[in-house]
Amino acid sequence: AQSVAQPEDQVNVAEGNPLTVKCTYSVSGNPYLFWYVQYPNRGLQFLLKYITGDNLVKGSYGFEAEFNKSQTSFHLKKPSALVSDSALYFCAVRLSYSGAGSYQLTFGKGTKLSVIP
Amino acid sequence: DTAVSQTPKYLVTQMGNDKSIKCEQNLGHDTMYWYKQDSKKFLKIMFSYNNKELIINETVPNRFSPKSPDKAHLNLHINSLELGDSAVYFCASSRMGGAYEQYFGPGTRLTVT
């Protein structure tokens, strides 16, 4: 079965410190992996994705993620956290082709990031 | 120039009623989706749809039906609303193919009383 796990419900980090939000996955074949962010009372916003190529992927708002095939992980990172980064972060993995020209995503349960001033 | 829009933003209704949520995207995408986010923020795909094919998540009750008048719109109609339908519903769209990210609407918070 294909799945994605975010082991931490909440991550607290001081402003200016580096942050990491963890994600592990289980898929058959090559994974397509995504990170999204959700601010309160808003829809999800795409941050970055790994499809193929360089294991270090850079995305919006200074975020990056490292794909590690041997550890089946795709952790989200940022060198210096901002208070405005406080939000709910979702990791997602593409499922096998499901028809309708689409590849449905399955999401982790989300990690709440709190950046403390 | 909102990319994916939904109306209404809030919807409060009584059990047994029928309601619809509208979604429009101006990104020129071929594929649209409906997701349900429950009170614990867990996101679950309900439907994937393009102008040719509808994929229904097997756990979605048949009281839920997507309707697409054209490829820029995917509305969600819900019959005989139940208390357990209370959630936030998100519409999303993407280009066709697995490598493309999805763009989400702002959500519709449905409360069934």
Side-chain angles (χ1 to χ4, degrees), chain B residues 45-73:
Chain B
I45 181 73
M46 300 176 70
F47 304 101
S48 302
Y49 189 82
N50 67 18
N51 58 0
K52 297 178 182 177
E53 192 172 1
L54 169 67
I55 299 297
I56 302 172
N57 185 297
E58 62 185 11
T59 65
V60 175
N62 58 14
R63 298 181 294 103
F64 290 78
S65 57
K67 299 186 189 301
S68 180
D70 55 61
K71 79 175 211 179
H73 297 83

Side-chain angles (χ1 to χ4, degrees), chain A residues 31-79:
Chain A
Y32 287 9
L33 297 156
F34 302 80
W35 275 102
Y36 289 82
V37 60
Q38 184 179 26
Y39 296 100
N41 300 313
R42 303 285 294 276
L44 277 72
Q45 296 179 29
F46 169 74
L47 280 178
L48 49 79
K49 64 183 177 184
Y50 173 82
I51 303 301
T52 187
D54 194 347
N55 289 343
L56 184 63
V57 178
K58 293 187 183 297
S60 305
Y61 312 120
F63 284 94
E64 58 188 28
E66 186 169 10
F67 171 66
N68 188 316
K69 188 172 184 177
S70 63
Q71 297 185 6
T72 62
S73 67
F74 188 56
H75 300 332
L76 181 70
K77 299 181 179 183
K78 187 174 183 181

Side-chain angles (χ1 to χ4, degrees), chain A residues 13-35:
Chain A
V13 63
E15 186 176 24
N17 283 1
L19 69 88
T20 298
V21 183
K22 295 180 180 178
C23 173
T24 59
Y25 65 90
S26 174
V27 299
S28 56
N30 294 322
Y32 287 9
L33 297 156
F34 302 80
W35 275 102

Side-chain angles (χ1 to χ4, degrees), chain A residues 2-3 27 32 93-98 103-106, chain B residues 45:
Chain A
Q2 301 182 354
S3 63
V27 299
Y32 287 9
V93 64
R94 187 206 76 176
L95 299 180
S96 300
Y97 182 68
S98 55
Y103 294 76
Q104 293 184 3
L105 295 178
T106 189
Chain B
I45 181 73

Side-chain angles (χ1 to χ4, degrees), chain B residues 13-37:
Chain B
T13 188
Q14 293 183 330
M15 286 176 56
N17 286 348
D18 302 339
K19 290 294 180 185
S20 292
I21 305 172
K22 295 184 177 181
C23 177
E24 176 181 3
Q25 55 95 4
N26 62 5
L27 297 167
H29 289 162
D30 299 301
T31 308
M32 298 183 72
Y33 312 81
W34 278 106
Y35 287 87
K36 179 180 181 180
Q37 186 174 46

